Amino acid sequence: MNKYLKLDEWNIIEEGFNQENVPSSESIFSIGNGRMGQRANFEENYSGKTLQGNYIAGVYFPDKTKVGWWKNGYPEYFAKVLNAANWIGIQVNMNDEALDLAKNKVTNFKRVLNMREGHLSRYFTATLNNGCELTVDTCRFLSIVDDNLGAIRYKIKVNNLGGKITLTPYVDADVVNEDSNYDEKFWEPITEKAEGTLALVTAKTKKTGFVVTTAMHYEVWVNGKKTEPTAKPATREKYAACSLTLNVNPGDEIILYKFATNISSFNHPIEKLESVALAELDKAQKKHFEQMLTEQKAAWETKWEESDISIEGDVAAQQAIRFNIFQLNQTYTGEDERLNIGPKGFTGEKYGGSTYWDTEAYCLPFYLATADKHVARNLLLYRYKQLDKAIENATKLGFNHGAALFPMVTMNGEECHNEWEITFEEIHRNGAIAHAVYNYIRYTNDLNYLADYGLELLIAISRFWAQRITYSETLKKYVMLGVTGPNEYENNVDNNWYTNTIATWCLNYTREVVDYVQKNHTEKFLSLSQKISFNAEVETLKWKTIAENMHFPESKELGIFLQQDNYLNKEQILVKDLDPSQRPINQNWSWDRILRSCFIKQADTLQGIYLFEEEYDVDTIERNFNFYEARTVHESSLSPCVHTVLAARLNKMELAYELYLRTSRLDLDDYNCEVGEGLHITSMAGTWMSVVQGFGGLRVYNHKIYLNPRIPKAWDSYSFKIRFRGSVLKINALKNKVEVHNYSNNELKLVIFEKEYTLNGNNKLTVEI
Ligand code: BGC
């Protein structure tokens, strides 16, 4: 853990400069706008430890897989979102010495991420080795209104000695990915130009051929007056800059405004990149920094209006949930069905910025409840559009007849992962993708989606399950052999309870949807059946037989489901008895020892109980919870949120609160000692689930909303908003009552503490506790 940030409801604040914290703060103070994002690197030179990171959504590189012994079925490459051109760079030299916080004496350092308004600022005084003292005050943001643009206001006050100050704003595509498998540079140069107040670089990615133009325009003001000093252009391969020198006296204040844009061939024809970039810069210049910032604030106000969770009485909890929501909204805006949410978003390189099951299992509920329906629909369409590749992927592995196995990790539908030995048997991901369709439908009631896209995907996934099972003559049951469940601390196990559960559920749900589409969209059904050679009667009968005869490991004696066959053969030690110096075990134990131990990396059996909670009585949930929580080390960021929801359901409020803090402040307090690598973006949606589904008790069954609000001791009240089938509701939970506001014209049926109410449009309901 590393707690160095100040508590504040709307801001993340770092005070004082500690070089050790630079990589962590670079992650935590990251900014993004869905189209691009960046780590909070400094504008000026920094020679200390840093991970430079600028990322453009959709622009990736297929880095050749690095494994020891190649086996059939290994993915050819590990896709990674590329570290792209640095557009923020402003080199500052005072009397020929470079400003560099790793080398200068730094005082009054303060960095603030203003989440309410969507900008990042930094303030410090630096004394250079030549004695010159400069006070720097910066503000920058990536516009969510003009999402091709970023803007910086870089203010320098000359404090003691006068002389010559040289400012060099630049764009630089000569960058590397720290996680490159073969230390290769991924960008090839195309053009570099610098003239007057403009500089641009166009570069192309190797193999994938994405072309990106990164361009900048700058302006300089001295003591409140715009000046036009002659700038010296400078270009070299993949780099373009304008350098200008000013004579300054003590007390002078210089402001450099820098506007920049990234235009990529992901969205524009290659021949237009430069002209689009220039037009974008022209727009920025006309609006200028202040207007762009005003628009940014207004746009963020709207985002918060829709998705804020407010918590009274607990600043740490409040700051944390806002941080999670802010980062999610910076990462994915849902306007482009080709994009998805990487586990680290735009804040680091780990996980390659690719798509994991995290999207469906964790992120979808957040976007379903806080954004317009098309946002969640685009996440679904992303997978639907990759169905052909999923079928191809399954075919390569020996499946047939249109069976689909979606990748565990992907950019474009192809499987691509470095850590293939662990993840290739994580076929449970197929289940999460099917479950997302169900979740979307129960939430939106967009039944046409099933006829147009959903059914086709569900059939392909069910065909996979039907071929992946084996009939065991010994058990007289269907078994699922050689899988890895969500708990990656067990590999190649038989009958992972979660996988068998979600597969069975999927077979049953697909049958339901077949029935629905056949009856209600007959023509579409017939044409789909023809397209994919679907024999409804034969295939659904097979699925029914499998679902009715699936093997689920359990311990009758303990009254629990078993994570997998023979789980109880393991030595049963509890997490509380682990020597704290051995944790996290993934940083202290051999892989062999981890695999032999009973310790669970992340929710697995409990993940299944969480998804299908309505199937189990409270005692069953509680027995399983007690058993598995005691053995779970939560070394995946995706774990504590699921446990929070269940702990709250079981009224174990102290534990739920502790787990909530762990999930929500995971990055702010660096629980896993690795925040420097990037933020855990996908688990941030889990944090949202912890409050809304955990404490708020939100569920959707039978076309109705269910609420069961509980309040942690430390909180006076909390409130959140959700969208549901065209309505917007605000739920305000206090110690003694729950208020539900209906901000739409629609009448809604809802169940609060097990009692049904009808809430008219534009009305409020109060239920006393
Ligand atoms: C987890 C996976 C997850 C991945 C990306 C891993 O540590 O075990 O479940 O998909 O991280 O977040």
Side-chain angles (χ1 to χ4, degrees):
M1 255 181 128
N2 183 15
K3 283 188 177 214
Y4 62 94
L5 302 167
K6 298 269 158 306
L7 293 182
D8 185 277
E9 291 183 354
W10 279 106
N11 299 288
I12 308 298
I13 304 168
E14 176 184 10
E15 277 175 357
F17 186 61
N18 177 352
Q19 285 201 41
E20 297 282 302
N21 291 333
V22 167
S24 309
S25 291
E26 283 177 344
S27 299
I28 293 171
F29 290 80
S30 290
I31 53 174
N33 64 5
R35 174 94 37 221
M36 53 184 161
Q38 59 174 200
R39 290 170 59 80
N41 306 130
F42 298 155
E43 285 88 356
E44 69 280 353
N45 289 7
Y46 183 67
S47 58
K49 189 160 183 264
T50 166
L51 175 64
Q52 296 287 307
N54 288 278
Y55 310 98
I56 302 170
V59 176
Y60 71 95
F61 179 78
D63 203 10
K64 193 169 159 357
T65 315
K66 201 172 187 176
V67 289
W69 294 72
W70 189 268
K71 295 186 187 63
N72 278 348
Y74 274 179
E76 303 280 321
Y77 64 89
F78 177 47
K80 43 197 56 157
V81 69
L82 288 187
N83 184 16
N86 169 357
W87 65 265
I88 60 168
I90 302 171
Q91 187 177 334
V92 179
N93 284 68
M94 179 71 197
N95 290 338
D96 295 326
E97 187 185 330
L99 174 65
D100 176 349
L101 298 200
K103 294 184 178 154
N104 306 150
K105 179 174 162 233
V106 185
T107 52
N108 297 328
F109 182 92
K110 185 167 182 179
R111 172 157 35 189
V112 180
L113 180 63
N114 186 324
M115 302 185 286
R116 183 177 228 156
E117 301 178 348
H119 52 86
L120 168 67
S121 54
R122 198 160 52 102
Y123 182 92
F124 60 87
T125 297
T127 312
L128 280 62
N129 295 329
N130 61 15
C132 295
E133 191 186 281
L134 303 174
T135 293
V136 176
D137 186 352
T138 72
C139 176
R140 77 170 186 250
F141 59 93
L142 277 166
S143 172
I144 57 168
V145 178
D146 301 303
D147 63 4
N148 288 321
L149 286 172
I152 306 174
R153 184 182 58 211
Y154 196 91
K155 202 189 283 182
I156 307 173
K157 183 112 190 269
V158 179
N159 290 342
N160 55 352
L161 305 173
K164 256 185 349 176
I165 192 162
T166 304
L167 303 176
T168 312
Y170 63 88
V171 285
D172 182 6
D174 193 15
V175 292
V176 290
N177 264 62
E178 207 180 68
D179 69 349
S180 156
N181 278 346
Y182 298 93
D183 290 334
E184 208 183 335
K185 284 196 175 172
F186 301 136
W187 293 97
E188 281 171 345
I190 298 190
T191 40
E192 301 88 19
K193 291 184 191 165
E195 201 188 335
T197 57
L198 207 85
L200 74 79
V201 165
T202 299
K204 182 176 170 180
T205 61
K206 290 185 188 162
K207 292 190 192 165
T208 30
F210 290 109
V211 181
V212 177
T213 295
T214 304
M216 64 155 218
H217 159 85
Y218 73 90
E219 234 174 73
V220 178
W221 294 58
V222 178
N223 296 329
K225 269 205 218 117
K226 189 171 167 191
T227 54
E228 280 169 18
T230 338
K232 227 170 61 196
T235 55
R236 57 172 190 262
E237 195 175 274
K238 295 188 263 184
Y239 172 95
C242 303
S243 198
L244 51 116
T245 301
L246 302 162
N247 289 318
V248 288
N249 295 311
D252 280 352
E253 187 184 82
I254 302 135
I255 302 180
L256 186 137
Y257 291 102
K258 182 174 178 184
F259 304 100
T261 187
N262 278 312
I263 305 296
S264 83
S265 58
F266 188 71
N267 296 308
H268 301 274
I270 293 178
E271 64 284 2
K272 295 233 167 92
L273 296 179
E274 231 181 274
S275 59
V276 175
L278 296 180
E280 287 291 324
L281 289 182
D282 200 44
K283 180 162 68 178
Q285 226 174 312
K286 288 195 178 111
K287 284 193 178 179
H288 216 272
F289 189 87
E290 291 307 329
Q291 190 190 331
M292 284 177 72
L293 185 59
T294 308
E295 290 178 5
Q296 173 87 340
K297 290 177 186 172
W300 271 102
E301 197 177 323
T302 309
K303 284 226 182 263
W304 285 115
E305 192 51 41
E306 289 166 348
S307 55
D308 188 26
I309 292 182
S310 88
I311 296 173
E312 299 297 327
D314 186 347
V315 184
Q318 173 68 85
Q319 180 184 45
I321 189 68
R322 289 208 170 115
F323 179 66
N324 286 254
I325 294 171
F326 179 67
Q327 292 295 353
L328 284 165
N329 282 328
Q330 292 205 109
T331 306
Y332 184 73
T333 54
E335 301 310 320
D336 188 337
E337 71 200 27
R338 296 168 304 166
L339 298 179
N340 210 282
I341 308 148
K344 300 252 171 250
F346 298 120
T347 70
E349 296 176 5
K350 199 167 173 203
Y351 300 113
S354 307
T355 306
Y356 286 64
W357 74 303
D358 305 27
T359 295
E360 285 78 16
Y362 299 86
C363 301
L364 189 82
F366 169 77
Y367 292 105
L368 265 176
T370 61
D372 184 74
K373 176 171 100 178
H374 77 273
V375 172
R377 195 170 196 270
N378 275 344
L379 284 175
L380 260 53
L381 283 175
Y382 173 92
R383 294 291 192 179
Y384 174 79
K385 298 252 154 109
Q386 298 181 351
L387 179 56
D388 287 349
K389 290 252 165 69
I391 294 175
E392 202 180 301
N393 183 33
T395 311
K396 275 192 207 155
L397 302 180
F399 298 87
N400 54 40
H401 187 44
L405 176 60
F406 280 90
M408 184 61 184
V409 182
T410 195
M411 266 303 170
N412 63 358
E414 287 165 13
E415 181 62 78
C416 53
H417 200 302
N418 259 356
E419 231 187 0
W420 192 232
E421 289 80 356
I422 298 179
T423 54
F424 82 115
E425 287 182 334
E426 285 198 59
I427 53 174
H428 65 80
R429 62 209 186 234
N430 248 9
I433 291 165
H435 191 265
V437 174
Y438 162 74
N439 225 352
Y440 172 76
I441 299 298
R442 76 167 151 173
Y443 218 91
T444 61
N445 210 29
D446 178 8
L447 293 166
N448 287 335
Y449 186 84
L450 290 177
D452 294 337
Y453 309 104
L455 178 60
E456 188 176 348
L457 177 131
L458 290 168
I459 290 175
I461 292 180
S462 286
R463 283 174 165 174
F464 170 81
W465 294 126
Q467 294 173 42
R468 186 60 168 73
I469 44 87
T470 305
Y471 185 73
S472 157
E473 286 295 345
T474 325
L475 293 173
K476 303 280 179 243
K477 290 272 182 192
Y478 289 98
V479 292
M480 189 95 70
L481 307 177
V483 306
T484 296
N487 169 23
E488 291 173 346
Y489 288 177
E490 302 275 0
N491 296 166
N492 194 36
V493 299
D494 292 341
N495 294 308
N496 170 259
W497 185 85
Y498 172 79
T499 309
N500 288 14
T501 299
I502 202 154
T504 306
W505 167 85
C506 179
L507 294 170
N508 288 333
Y509 180 57
T510 308
R511 283 173 40 233
E512 248 177 61
V513 176
V514 166
D515 202 40
Y516 166 77
V517 177
Q518 200 166 18
K519 288 198 181 110
N520 298 283
H521 302 264
T522 312
E523 268 181 35
K524 284 186 183 166
F525 181 79
L526 291 175
S527 112
L528 175 66
S529 300
Q530 201 173 19
K531 175 179 162 197
I532 61 171
S533 310
F534 180 57
N535 183 332
E537 213 179 310
V538 173
E539 294 196 48
T540 55
L541 180 63
K542 188 169 170 202
W543 298 343
K544 183 167 181 278
T545 314
I546 297 169
E548 285 172 357
N549 294 287
M550 186 72 96
H551 165 63
F552 296 100
E554 61 176 332
S555 160
K556 290 233 159 63
E557 202 186 330
L558 299 176
I560 57 164
F561 306 120
L562 285 186
Q563 189 183 253
Q564 73 246 10
D565 283 351
N566 301 322
Y567 177 76
L568 289 179
N569 286 351
K570 294 183 168 235
E571 189 186 2
Q572 296 295 320
I573 314 170
L574 304 186
V575 175
K576 73 175 175 44
D577 298 324
L578 254 175
D579 174 356
S581 71
Q582 302 289 293
R583 297 184 66 187
I585 57 172
N586 65 14
Q587 288 173 24
N588 292 290
W589 284 11
S590 70
W591 189 237
D592 169 72
R593 187 171 177 195
I594 290 177
L595 291 179
R596 278 184 287 118
S597 83
C598 72
F599 294 117
I600 297 168
K601 179 184 179 189
Q602 72 194 87
D604 189 305
T605 307
L606 295 184
Q607 182 87 29
I609 292 181
Y610 156 74
L611 285 182
F612 306 112
E613 189 194 286
E614 67 276 24
E615 305 277 323
Y616 312 105
D617 60 58
V618 180
D619 291 343
T620 307
I621 300 177
E622 182 147 22
R623 278 194 306 273
N624 280 281
F625 182 86
N626 292 345
F627 182 84
Y628 286 109
E629 163 58 18
R631 287 159 179 79
T632 304
V633 286
H634 297 296
E635 288 176 14
S636 160
S637 63
L638 301 174
S639 187
C641 56
V642 170
H643 285 232
T644 313
V645 176
L646 291 179
R649 164 80 180 81
L650 296 168
N651 223 355
K652 297 176 187 291
M653 287 302 281
E654 273 177 33
L655 179 59
Y657 178 67
E658 190 190 311
L659 288 162
Y660 164 75
L661 281 189
R662 187 177 172 130
T663 179
S664 65
R665 298 197 61 89
L666 176 77
D667 290 324
L668 291 176
D669 295 339
D670 199 6
Y671 272 81
N672 290 349
C673 310
E674 29 113 271
V675 72
E677 293 174 351
L679 302 175
H680 297 86
I681 297 294
T682 47
S683 89
M684 291 183 170
T687 299
W688 178 92
M689 278 164 28
S690 304
V691 178
V692 174
Q693 302 177 353
F695 301 135
L698 172 76
R699 305 286 187 274
V700 176
Y701 303 129
N702 307 323
H703 308 275
K704 271 180 272 181
I705 285 197
Y706 286 67
L707 290 164
N708 217 338
R710 296 179 169 88
I711 186 159
K713 251 199 212 128
W715 301 2
D716 297 331
S717 68
Y718 62 100
S719 66
F720 56 89
K721 267 194 182 161
I722 51 164
R723 296 182 180 217
F724 180 69
R725 303 191 178 183
S727 305
V728 178
L729 296 182
K730 182 168 180 181
I731 292 93
N732 195 11
L734 295 98
K735 298 246 188 229
N736 58 348
K737 62 181 173 189
V738 178
E739 295 165 348
V740 184
H741 299 251
N742 181 356
Y743 292 116
S744 66
N745 298 326
N746 313 338
E747 178 193 284
L748 266 177
K749 294 233 174 301
L750 61 163
V751 180
I752 306 179
F753 301 128
E754 291 170 25
K755 190 166 165 215
E756 183 157 333
Y757 298 86
T758 304
L759 176 55
N760 293 331
N762 302 305
N763 248 292
K764 180 175 135 184
L765 173 74
T766 304
V767 178
E768 306 288 333
I769 299 178

